[in-house]
């Protein structure tokens, strides 16, 4: 304990970050949050899944005297975290019911000896009277540096995961008011945030809210048809890595996982019908990369921390937008590109509507219907999916995200006025006494017995709609309902009724435009994260490094991502480090990982380079990763050079930010430094030449000293980022 480092042992927080976790830069508000925590202030951290919340309490815990107590709701979650921390050489442990008495004793002893920096506990243990003596003893001997409350939304009845045990946590502030508390959650709703603050009795907490936009996730909605299973199979085959498939029922889960296995995909089911042990085993197989796909009901998800899930597919309709955000959010926590797909069909809508009608409480039914409508709106919409999701959380987003189906492959509006007239007149001929399916049957000339009995085959609209499929007619009907050009009774029978709008359409007073799903089979998106930007040799090397990682992980019984994240392996494949200095410049390589894995990985890389005739990177100082004699290069850091390498490969700045899991602002700082050191940067790719000209002129006029002054000169249509880039170029030339 005496030799444990403190904040004074490091020249900067960044140095501590690299030492313990191997990362070069902080993300989002991590730095500000950590600074605040180190001042012993209460903090409320709201960050989307994968944002990097854990680091916010872990790093301060390592830089302060005493132990930080982390409250975490699930045993699996704690075990995961502790495993990852230990692999970074950090003294962490947990106490829970899975331990024997002897193990518990040994851990308590280590705690009191000051050998532990982070202790993970479930809330019920922390609050149980039998635990308090140990807590007090800890406080009096080694000291408690902070309480961190993970998944803090569990304290709120308004959240979707309320846990009564969390309610007791208010006593922490009563009993030990001097100990700072950090509460962390990914919950997006304001109501829950307020509740957390109040329930935990936080003292003037500083609240940090990161945006909820998950830039690395690609969203898409596909129509559900009879071929959906084949499409699912194709989706899984065409993307690498692990994935989750969500279904509404256990039956569907079993069916899909069975079929996938038959089709050669390694898949396991997960639902509440399996016993706890089977569930635990299936989950573990997934986390360890022994099985690629988990097919699950919504019972699966919370409590898994797997950062490298590459796709989440909703085979059936999500329940609410919020639950969709959370479930799809389990993809790409590591910041690498990942795909989120929903298969949307009206059959599911009918199923969900039926389930809703079975609810006993009317108020509940109303809320559920409204939530369903939001989901349908999301699925049917032709505008940016991200914009819809974020606006649901009160975050304004301009749209045009370039990473959803609607933005990449816009659905054209089609004039369906004539079809709408046919449909509405058929509703009228059927005397406004039937629902959608019957109307479509009449239009398509069905020979159904009931229809013939009613004599509807003699209506003038009978058989006039055979030129469109059932699905297309349904889309039209839904769209008419949406646009309020048609009404539907809400008595559970959904009888179609004409309204004022319908008559305007029938009288040819207004046209009807609808978005018809007829997307081209392949969209431009569908990210193959690992293969992008890697050459053939690099991809081969990546494959070998993956196998090595898997072997090392199995030897230690840990999941592969605990050894290294995908992004670290990719960087290795690209930079080919064979010396310890070059290896330690890889993001994710801290002190401990270098000691533990440096040699095996660099050897593997060296062998690969020899057998493939490639030049390895044998840099002997971690500040240079290439042997280029370029002047000024010595002042550049490895992270800046990585940015440079990606720029030269043609990535845009935001792609580099996503690729590296860093803020755009950080990447721009790198580029500024690169230009200052005369590295080749293609400014035309970063700022269009037409915009460069006025910025150069403004700098000539008011000088380069103050960004503010330059911006004032240019006006609000110019943003600081582009000004910074052009200024850096100007300065490098003067
Ligand atoms: P959350 O709890 O917010 O969902 P995690 O704490 O699990 O997110 O972090 C998600 C991933 O991001 C982890 O793999 C973590 O190691 C990584 N990460 C966190 N902070 C950084 C950083 N500053 N640089 C690079 N990777 C980071
Ligand atoms: Zn979009």
């Amino acid at each position: 304990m005496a030799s444990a480092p403190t904040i004074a042992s490091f020249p900067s927080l960044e140095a501590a970050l690299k030492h313990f976790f191997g990362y070069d830069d902080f993300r989002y508000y991590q730095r500000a949050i950590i600074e605040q925590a180190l001042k012993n202030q209460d903090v409320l951290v709201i960050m989307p899944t994968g944002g990097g919340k854990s680091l916010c309490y872990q790093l301060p815990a390592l830089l302060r005297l005493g132990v930080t107590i982390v409250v975490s709701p699930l045993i699996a979650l704690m075990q995961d975290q502790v495993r990852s921390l230990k692999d970074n050489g950090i003294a962490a442990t947990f106490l829970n019911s899975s331990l024997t008495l002897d193990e518990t004793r040994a851990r308590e002893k280590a705690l009191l000896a000051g050998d532990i920096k982070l202790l993970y506990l479930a809330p019920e243990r922390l609050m149980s009277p039998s635990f308090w003596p140990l807590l007090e003893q800890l406080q009096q001997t080694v000291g408690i540096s902070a309480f961190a409350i993970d998944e803090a939304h569990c304290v709120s009845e308004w959240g979707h995961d309320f846990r009564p045990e969390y309610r007791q946590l208010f006593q922490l502030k009563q009993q030990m008011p001097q100990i700072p508390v950090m509460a962390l959650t990914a919950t997006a709703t304001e109501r829950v945030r307020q509740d957390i603050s109040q329930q935990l009795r936080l003292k003037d907490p500083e609240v940090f809210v990161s945006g909820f936009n998950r830039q690395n996730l690609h969203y898409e909605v596909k129509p559900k048809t009879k071929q959906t299973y084949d499409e699912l199979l194709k989706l899984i085959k065409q993307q690498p890595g692990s994935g989750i498939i969500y279904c509404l029922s256990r039956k569907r889960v079993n069916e899909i996982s069975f079929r996938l296995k038959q089709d050669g995909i390694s898949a396991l089911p997960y639902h509440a019908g399996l016993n706890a042990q089977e569930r635990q085993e299936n989950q573990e197989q997934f986390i360890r990369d022994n099985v690629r796909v988990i097919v699950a009901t919504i019972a699966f998800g919370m409590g898994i921390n797997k950062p490298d899930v590459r796709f989440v597919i909703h085979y059936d309709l999500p329940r609410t937008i919020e639950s969709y955000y959370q479930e799809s959010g389990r993809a790409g926590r590591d910041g690498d590109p990942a795909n989120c797909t929903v298969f949307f069909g009206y059959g599911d809508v009918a199923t969900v509507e039926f389930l809703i009608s079975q609810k006993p409480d009317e108020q509940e039914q109303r809320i559920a219907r409204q939530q369903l409508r939001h989901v349908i709106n999301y699925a049917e919409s032709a505008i940016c999916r991200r914009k819809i999701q974020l606006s649901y959380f009160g975050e304004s987003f301009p749209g045009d995200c370039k990473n959803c189906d609607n933005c990449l492959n816009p659905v054209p509006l089609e004039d369906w006025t004539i079809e709408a007239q046919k449909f509405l007149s058929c509703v009228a001929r059927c005397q406004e006494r039937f629902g959608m399916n019957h109307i479509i049957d009449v239009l398509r000339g069905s020979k159904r017995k009931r229809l013939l009995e009613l004599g509807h085959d003699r209506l003038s609209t009978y058989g006039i709609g055979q030129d469109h499929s059932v699905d297309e007619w349904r889309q039209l009907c839904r769209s008419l309902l949406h646009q309020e050009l048609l009404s539907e009774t809400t008595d559970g029978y959904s009888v179609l009724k004409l309204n004022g709008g319908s008559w305007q359409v029938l009288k040819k007073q207004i046209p009807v435009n609808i978005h018809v799903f007829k997307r081209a089979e392949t969209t431009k998106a569908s990210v193959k994260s690992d293969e992008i930007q890697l050459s053939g040799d690099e991809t081969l090397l990546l494959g070998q490094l993956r196998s090595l990682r898997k072997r090392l992980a199995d030897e230690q019984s840990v999941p592969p991502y605990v050894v290294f994240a995908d992004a670290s392996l990719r960087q290795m494949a690209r930079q080919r480090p064979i010396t310890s200095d070059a290896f330690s410049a890889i993001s994710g390589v801290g002190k401990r990982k270098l000691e533990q894995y440096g040699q095996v990985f660099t050897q593997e890389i060296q062998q690969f380079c020899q057998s493939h005739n490639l030049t390895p990177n044998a840099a002997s100082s971690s500040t240079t990763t290439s042997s280029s004699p370029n002047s000024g290069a010595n002042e550049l850091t490895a992270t800046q050079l990585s940015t440079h390498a990606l720029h030269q490969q043609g990535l845009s700045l935001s792609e580099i930010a996503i690729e590296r899991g860093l803020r755009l602002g950080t990447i721009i700082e790198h580029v500024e430094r690169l230009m200052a050191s005369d590295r080749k940067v293609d400014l035309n790719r970063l700022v269009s030449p037409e915009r460069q000209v006025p910025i150069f002129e403004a700098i000539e006029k008011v000088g380069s000293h103050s960004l503010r002054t330059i911006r004032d000169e240019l006006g609000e249509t110019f943003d600081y980022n582009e000004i910074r880039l052009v200024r850096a170029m100007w300065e490098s030339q003067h």
Side-chain angles (χ1 to χ4, degrees):
M1 166 75 202
S3 64
T6 61
I7 181 71
S9 323
F10 297 96
S12 65
L13 281 177
E14 279 77 8
L17 177 71
K18 181 70 187 164
H19 175 88
F20 289 112
F21 296 95
Y23 300 132
D24 299 305
D25 301 277
F26 289 103
R27 283 180 180 169
Y28 307 113
Y29 294 109
Q30 278 176 336
R31 195 179 207 287
I33 294 165
I34 290 167
E35 280 173 355
Q36 201 66 10
L38 289 171
K39 286 188 214 148
N40 293 328
Q41 300 290 313
D42 284 356
V43 186
L44 174 55
V45 176
I46 295 157
M47 234 187 236
T49 309
K53 286 186 282 300
S54 328
L55 203 92
C56 298
Y57 59 81
Q58 289 168 348
L59 191 61
L62 299 170
L63 298 176
R64 278 187 290 194
L65 294 173
V67 53
T68 289
I69 295 185
V70 186
V71 177
S72 178
L74 295 172
I75 292 185
L77 211 61
M78 314 178 182
Q79 287 173 340
D80 244 34
Q81 294 258 6
V82 168
R83 208 151 49 177
S84 290
L85 285 166
K86 282 193 164 157
D87 210 62
N88 275 318
I90 292 165
T93 195
F94 60 81
L95 288 175
N96 66 30
S97 53
S98 73
L99 303 175
T100 64
L101 196 61
D102 280 349
E103 282 171 324
T104 307
R105 290 259 161 74
R107 290 183 185 197
E108 289 178 1
K109 207 164 138 224
L111 271 167
L112 291 169
D115 292 339
I116 302 291
K117 296 304 294 178
L118 283 139
L119 169 65
Y120 284 76
L121 291 173
E124 49 275 40
R125 174 166 299 237
L126 176 59
M127 300 326 297
S128 83
S130 60
F131 191 75
W132 277 84
L134 178 69
L135 209 60
E136 268 162 16
Q137 212 182 340
L138 260 182
Q139 168 68 338
Q140 280 152 22
T141 52
V142 296
I144 298 173
S145 52
F147 291 111
I149 319 287
D150 207 1
E151 312 286 352
H153 57 277
C154 293
V155 81
S156 170
E157 280 172 321
W158 296 90
H160 54 287
D161 282 317
F162 175 55
R163 284 165 183 258
E165 321 83 77
Y166 262 70
R167 268 292 150 85
Q168 302 309 315
L169 290 172
F170 75 91
Q171 293 178 27
L172 289 178
K173 272 287 170 200
Q174 274 182 347
Q175 309 281 344
M176 299 188 168
Q178 73 285 15
I179 299 177
V181 174
M182 179 184 291
L184 307 103
T185 176
T187 295
T189 57
E190 179 60 33
R191 172 85 223 207
V192 176
R193 292 175 199 168
Q194 283 174 5
D195 227 19
I196 295 172
S197 231
Q198 274 163 14
Q199 296 290 339
L200 295 176
R201 315 278 194 274
L202 299 185
K203 193 164 146 269
D204 304 326
E206 178 136 10
V207 183
F208 293 89
V209 184
S210 301
F212 275 77
N213 184 3
R214 303 275 314 274
Q215 296 178 31
N216 60 321
L217 301 187
H218 170 257
Y219 297 106
E220 64 180 353
V221 177
K222 287 171 171 285
K224 197 164 179 178
T225 63
K226 289 204 180 68
Q227 287 82 41
T228 289
Y229 173 79
D230 298 330
E231 222 181 313
L232 174 79
L233 188 62
K234 206 162 111 197
L235 268 182
I236 298 175
K237 283 188 172 161
Q238 79 187 18
Q239 45 197 343
S242 313
I244 305 174
I245 297 166
Y246 282 109
C247 304
L248 270 177
S249 67
R250 291 179 201 180
K251 190 166 150 265
R252 185 51 85 45
V253 166
N254 288 333
E255 175 199 320
I256 302 278
S257 60
F258 179 78
R259 288 184 71 179
L260 286 176
K261 269 185 267 182
Q262 295 225 308
D263 287 319
I265 305 284
S266 69
L268 282 173
Y270 188 105
H271 55 66
L274 303 173
N275 67 39
Q277 198 194 340
E278 286 169 313
R279 285 208 303 262
Q280 176 66 29
E281 275 171 18
N282 291 0
Q283 173 170 319
E284 195 67 22
Q285 297 284 9
F286 179 63
I287 291 174
R288 298 251 175 119
D289 286 349
N290 292 331
V291 43
R292 245 188 94 197
V293 173
I294 202 109
V295 187
T297 56
I298 45 162
F300 180 78
M302 187 164 161
I304 69 148
N305 222 349
K306 191 172 168 50
D308 51 1
V309 173
R310 294 272 69 84
F311 56 93
V312 170
I313 299 174
H314 281 70
Y315 194 84
D316 298 317
L317 209 59
R319 292 156 306 146
T320 67
I321 295 280
E322 163 125 43
S323 64
Y324 182 63
Y325 178 83
Q326 302 292 352
E327 284 152 19
S328 60
R330 288 174 187 136
R333 292 172 74 139
D334 54 9
D336 276 7
N339 276 318
C340 305
T341 310
V342 175
F343 282 105
F344 173 68
Y346 294 109
D348 289 346
V349 175
T351 313
V352 176
E353 269 166 357
F354 174 78
L355 293 174
I356 293 173
S357 70
Q358 302 298 301
K359 286 182 188 276
D361 184 84
E362 257 195 40
Q363 168 74 358
E364 244 183 84
Q365 283 193 14
R366 255 199 304 279
I367 293 172
R369 280 216 176 83
Q370 195 179 10
Q371 287 175 330
L372 174 62
R373 187 120 296 271
H374 286 144
V375 174
I376 298 175
N377 282 347
Y378 173 78
E380 283 187 329
S381 178
I383 66 166
C384 175
R385 310 268 181 214
R386 203 171 298 271
K387 184 178 170 69
I388 305 177
Q389 289 194 26
L390 293 173
S391 77
Y392 188 78
F393 300 133
E395 200 176 315
S396 80
F397 180 78
D400 192 19
C401 74
K402 301 196 173 56
N403 202 12
C404 77
D405 51 359
N406 286 340
C407 291
L408 288 166
N409 203 18
V411 187
L413 269 178
E414 284 180 25
D415 184 338
W416 275 53
T417 310
I418 298 192
E419 287 82 355
Q421 287 164 349
K422 288 182 184 173
F423 192 94
L424 295 172
S425 76
C426 192
V427 173
R429 303 263 178 252
C430 293
Q431 297 176 334
E432 303 178 54
R433 283 173 41 216
F434 295 87
M436 173 171 75
N437 291 335
H438 184 82
I439 303 297
I440 295 174
D441 277 348
V442 174
L443 286 168
R444 289 181 39 86
S446 156
K447 303 239 171 344
R448 212 158 36 84
K449 191 159 160 254
R450 167 106 177 105
L451 189 152
L452 301 178
E453 277 168 13
L454 287 162
H456 283 181
D457 55 336
R458 294 194 299 276
L459 296 176
S460 59
T461 50
Y462 182 75
I464 62 169
Q466 289 175 1
D467 50 341
H468 290 294
S469 68
V470 175
D471 269 345
E472 284 169 346
W473 283 117
R474 285 190 174 155
Q475 284 176 49
L476 171 69
C477 175
R478 287 275 162 192
S479 188
L480 289 172
L481 289 166
H482 258 326
Q483 300 183 46
E484 296 181 2
L485 299 175
L486 178 66
S487 310
E488 192 176 42
T489 59
T490 52
D491 54 359
Y493 296 100
S494 305
V495 172
L496 297 177
K497 301 274 181 197
L498 301 181
N499 61 23
S502 319
W503 287 110
Q504 283 183 293
V505 176
L506 284 167
K507 288 187 202 148
K508 304 194 179 118
Q509 288 165 344
I510 46 174
V512 177
N513 290 309
I514 70 165
H515 296 282
V516 185
F517 276 120
K518 267 194 227 146
R519 282 184 207 293
E521 250 304 284
T522 46
T523 61
K524 287 178 233 163
S526 220
V527 239
K528 292 190 176 147
S529 57
D530 285 334
E531 279 68 20
I532 43 167
Q533 282 94 31
L534 286 187
S535 70
D537 282 333
E538 288 166 350
T539 309
L540 271 181
L541 176 55
L542 178 67
Q544 291 204 5
L545 297 176
R546 279 228 173 95
S547 315
L548 174 63
R549 172 177 72 170
K550 175 74 175 132
R551 205 183 71 226
L552 295 170
D554 286 349
E555 277 166 20
Q556 305 166 73
S557 301
V558 298
Y561 69 79
V562 169
V563 176
F564 280 120
D566 281 353
S568 302
L569 294 192
R570 262 205 318 279
Q571 223 184 330
M572 290 176 208
R574 198 177 276 129
Q575 296 188 357
R576 303 192 286 273
I578 56 160
T579 56
S580 139
D581 278 335
F583 193 73
S584 68
I586 300 286
S587 172
V589 179
K591 185 171 167 291
R592 170 66 175 255
K593 300 250 168 171
L594 178 65
E595 289 163 7
Q596 204 176 355
Y597 304 119
Q599 213 182 349
V600 267
F601 274 88
T602 50
Q603 265 173 9
E604 182 88 12
I605 295 168
Q606 183 149 28
Q607 276 168 11
F608 183 90
C609 290
Q610 274 165 3
S611 59
H612 289 78
N613 232 349
L614 292 169
T615 347
N617 173 3
S620 58
S621 152
S622 63
T623 52
T624 49
T625 61
S626 79
S627 47
S628 154
N630 209 331
S631 69
N634 291 341
E635 297 151 32
L636 292 170
T637 62
T639 177
Q640 290 158 355
L641 289 167
S642 300
T643 294
H644 191 226
L646 295 174
H647 169 70
Q648 287 185 316
Q649 287 170 23
L651 271 69
S652 72
L653 296 185
S654 35
E655 281 167 340
I656 299 176
I658 293 175
E659 169 76 19
R660 307 203 54 208
L662 299 177
R663 284 181 305 113
L664 184 62
T666 307
I667 302 296
I668 288 174
E669 272 164 31
H670 292 172
V671 174
E672 287 173 322
R673 288 284 307 125
L674 288 164
M675 292 196 214
S677 314
D678 288 336
R679 285 282 167 147
K680 192 169 176 333
V681 171
D682 184 358
L683 185 65
N684 290 346
R685 273 187 24 231
L686 311 179
V687 180
S688 72
E690 310 86 76
R691 293 183 76 79
Q692 286 175 30
V693 175
I695 303 177
F696 278 124
E697 285 170 0
I699 296 173
E700 294 286 349
K701 190 165 164 205
V702 301
S704 69
H705 179 65
S706 154
L707 272 180
R708 180 88 213 222
T709 318
I710 305 173
R711 167 83 184 291
D712 289 347
E713 177 68 22
L714 285 160
E716 280 190 356
T717 53
F718 285 79
D719 81 38
Y720 280 106
N721 288 341
E722 53 189 354
I723 301 173
R724 278 171 65 183
L725 291 164
V726 175
R727 178 177 75 163
M729 183 56 87
W730 187 89
E731 286 181 337
S732 76
Q733 295 165 348
H734 288 78

